[in-house]
Amino acid sequence: MRDVPDVEAYLASRRELVDEALARAFPKDAEPGVLFDAMQYSLLGPGKRLRPVLCLAVAETFDVRPEVVVPAAIALEMVHCYSLIHDDLPAMDDDDLRRGRPTNHKVYGEATALLAGDGLLTHAFTVLSRPLPVPAERQLAMIRALGEAAGPFGMVGGQQADLSAEGTSGTESQLEFIHLRKTARLLQAACVMGGLFADLPDAHRSALSKYGEHLGLAFQMMDDWLDVTATTEALGKTAGRDAALDKFTYPRLVGLDATLERANRHVADACRQLEQLDVSADILHGLAHYVVARRH
Ligand code: GRG
């Protein structure tokens, strides 16, 4: 029987590594001060750090030292954090609470929140393009993976589709179109980028990419499920927001139980991909299960 890895301990230790690197990402005296304050207010807030941890975990599965992976890990968190800041803006989901604290625009105003998001998005690519101890073509592939996941074929496209679907209903494949882009692509990119730190055959890269996609779809289903079942205190963001905005979600389309069942199916599919790798991938199994076990 497979040993159950201590995923909580792994998450805690790698979050610490990521948090330390994020805290060092910008010089203390950078100007204009208000912009850097706004960027760091959101970036250093208490997030789960799932995208950077996934990137580290994939690389470590192939014996890459985590310290080497840190620039890619923090670039992922910067892109994620930008998306949260913009997602919370009045023109988007108009939310007051994120990571248990007032949203960026509530503290710094809309214009600075927009710029803080822009600053994090663009700086992520500066960080990721600094010299790394990997062949240039693999580093270029990392930059491309992050750009594709964040851009119009990924998160930005998913956000537009999500906004356009408010107040409507549709088919399950239309909902999957949104979730794939809005959420899964960035989690998938985290896995692909982690794999690019190692010299792997194409079959392994493809398995890691599919693992990330299934995990990402499960993650967004759980996000929808938690929005209905968890409290604002547990989530650190306003619970019930999807219903308030009349969002097109899995609980609305198929109900709570079927949402959970589909999320578990994607986790099983994600784990099946790991069988293609020639190494033991216990932490990656554990992280896939964490996605459905999490309660915030
Ligand atoms: C370009 C103006 C402009 C806006 C784009 C791309 C975008 C805004 C928004 C992305 C859509 C988005 C926020 C999707 C939701 C993904 C999701 C479930 C986020 C929550 O992730 P967690 O739970 O958050 O990992 P923490 O706080 O733990 O990091």
Side-chain angles (χ1 to χ4, degrees), residues 55-71:
C55 183
L56 290 162
V58 168
E60 286 186 80
T61 297
F62 298 99
D63 293 330
V64 179
R65 281 185 304 111
E67 291 72 21
V68 170
V69 186
V70 161

Side-chain angles (χ1 to χ4, degrees), residues 33-42 85 101-114 116:
V34 66
L35 175 66
F36 287 91
D37 285 352
M39 286 160 62
Q40 292 185 87
Y41 171 76
S42 291
I85 296 173
R101 305 183 308 169
T103 45
N104 198 289
H105 66 273
K106 285 281 159 191
V107 179
Y108 295 97
E110 278 180 53
T112 297
L114 261 173

Side-chain angles (χ1 to χ4, degrees), residues 89-254:
L89 285 167
M92 299 264 170
D93 281 3
D94 191 13
D95 230 317
D96 295 349
L97 192 69
R98 172 70 70 179
R99 293 178 166 175
R101 305 183 308 169
T103 45
N104 198 289
H105 66 273
K106 285 281 159 191
V107 179
Y108 295 97
E110 278 180 53
T112 297
L114 261 173
L115 292 171
D118 294 340
L120 288 168
L121 173 63
T122 43
H123 195 65
F125 288 91
T126 301
V127 170
L128 189 57
S129 54
R130 286 177 184 147
L132 284 176
V134 295
E137 77 188 38
R138 296 218 304 259
Q139 185 168 355
L140 211 51
M142 283 182 212
I143 296 168
R144 191 163 57 238
L146 187 60
E148 283 176 358
F153 298 101
M155 220 167 45
V156 171
Q159 178 77 346
Q160 179 61 60
D162 184 76
L163 291 171
S164 302
E166 277 177 16
T168 71
S169 196
T171 63
E172 193 158 345
S173 77
Q174 286 168 330
L175 189 51
E176 190 171 291
F177 176 99
I178 297 173
H179 283 197
L180 202 49
R181 286 156 184 77
K182 180 176 84 159
T183 306
R185 290 293 181 230
L186 192 60
L187 287 155
Q188 182 179 32
C191 298
V192 168
M193 287 162 67
L196 283 163
F197 281 89
D199 187 9
L200 300 180
D202 287 348
H204 288 190
R205 297 206 186 286
S206 163
L208 289 169
S209 173
K210 287 181 194 150
Y211 163 84
E213 182 175 307
H214 284 297
L215 180 147
L217 289 170
F219 184 86
Q220 183 58 52
M221 286 173 183
M222 290 309 295
D223 197 73
D224 286 3
W225 187 84
L226 288 166
D227 186 75
V228 179
T229 59
T231 62
T232 296
E233 290 66 38
L235 293 177
K237 60 181 180 179
T238 317
R241 199 75 190 128
D242 291 342
L245 293 171
D246 205 7
K247 289 268 184 196
F248 179 34
T249 66
Y250 269 92
R252 205 173 97 187
L253 188 69
V254 298

Side-chain angles (χ1 to χ4, degrees), residues 255-276:
L256 283 172
D257 290 350
T259 300
L260 213 47
E261 189 239 308
R262 279 163 173 73
N264 277 302
R265 218 186 298 153
H266 276 296
V267 167
D269 288 343
C271 289
R272 229 180 329 274
Q273 292 299 324
L274 300 176
E275 289 162 17
Q276 314 280 320

